Amino acid sequence: GEHGRALEDAHTASYLAPKTPQGFLHKGNAQIALCDHDGAMATFQLGCVANPSDKELREAWFSAKEMCRTWRRAGKMALGGERARIQAFEAAREPCLSQVSGLARAEDRAAALKNLARVHVKWGRHTEARTLLDAAVREAPADMHLRYARAEANMALEEPRRALEDAAAVTAARPGWFDGLDLCAKVHARLGDWK
């Protein structure tokens, strides 16, 4: 039920006992539950390198790899134009959103939505990413990493006015965070505020 915490524990286990496949399996499964398919694929792959004869790790790796291929196919879809890409992303996103709604903790739902948004940003789908980040911020409004990501999505969409609120919240909550200050400066520069 607490996938974020399970991920931290499994990460420690896979680091402390790299020859034991359970740590890699638990970490990868937690990443899948949090919609971090790229991370899960990398975790399972590392597990396969450390434990080449483990069949369960190899099957998990192939499964995660297939999830990543689904997103890649949607992102690279050439036939049917933009409408086909929109439909392909919706088809890939729906099972993930169903999985997210089943997560018990708000922090886990927010992390999963952020991971889904990251996939959309990777393929230039900034509008969908912003929608996912809006939902993530509703789940965990105090998480400044989510506000930062949403401000970046707004900047990518050429909407600095919408990014300004999040950028200001990030710098107010974490005044020494360089990335937040840098983002705030970029937002003000785009708005023409040279105060």
Side-chain angles (χ1 to χ4, degrees):
E2 297 185 3
H3 298 288
R5 292 181 183 151
L7 178 60
E8 293 171 15
D9 293 343
H11 177 74
T12 302
S14 64
Y15 176 76
L16 294 175
K19 294 292 182 188
T20 308
Q22 284 75 26
F24 292 104
L25 282 169
H26 291 305
K27 180 179 178 184
N29 287 332
Q31 288 169 310
I32 286 175
L34 296 174
C35 300
D36 183 5
H37 303 121
D38 288 334
M41 185 176 71
T43 296
F44 290 137
Q45 186 174 19
L46 285 173
C48 288
V49 169
N51 305 280
S53 62
D54 192 283
K55 185 178 178 185
E56 192 175 1
L57 263 174
R58 190 161 299 287
E59 288 172 0
W61 178 42
F62 287 131
S63 176
K65 203 168 161 181
E66 188 54 38
M67 288 182 218
C68 292
R69 278 192 189 125
T70 300
W71 291 111
R72 189 168 39 255
R73 280 192 293 266
K76 291 188 173 187
M77 182 170 283
L79 294 175
E82 181 61 17
R83 186 162 190 70
R85 279 190 292 281
I86 289 170
Q87 291 173 342
F89 271 94
E90 284 177 3
R93 189 171 50 241
E94 281 310 310
C96 295
L97 290 175
S98 176
Q99 178 182 329
V100 168
S101 67
L103 295 173
R105 295 177 62 235
E107 295 86 1
D108 289 344
R109 290 190 299 274
L113 289 165
K114 181 182 177 186
N115 288 329
L116 280 176
R118 187 174 49 219
V119 170
H120 286 72
V121 167
K122 177 179 176 179
W123 293 105
R125 313 298 304 178
H126 299 289
T127 303
E128 293 98 326
R130 182 176 59 196
T131 302
L132 291 164
L133 289 165
D134 286 342
V137 169
R138 284 192 298 275
E139 293 288 344
D143 186 335
M144 290 301 116
H145 290 281
L146 294 173
R147 302 284 298 267
Y148 177 85
R150 186 168 67 178
E152 282 190 319
N154 282 317
M155 290 296 284
L157 290 167
E158 300 292 329
E159 296 185 20
R161 290 253 175 249
R162 289 184 73 172
L164 183 60
E165 180 186 342
D166 286 327
V170 167
T171 54
R174 299 185 65 185
W177 187 28
F178 176 78
D179 291 340
L181 293 170
D182 184 51
L183 176 64
C184 197
K186 288 177 182 174
V187 170
H188 282 291
R190 187 83 57 89
L191 290 169
D193 299 339
W194 296 101
K195 300 177 195 175

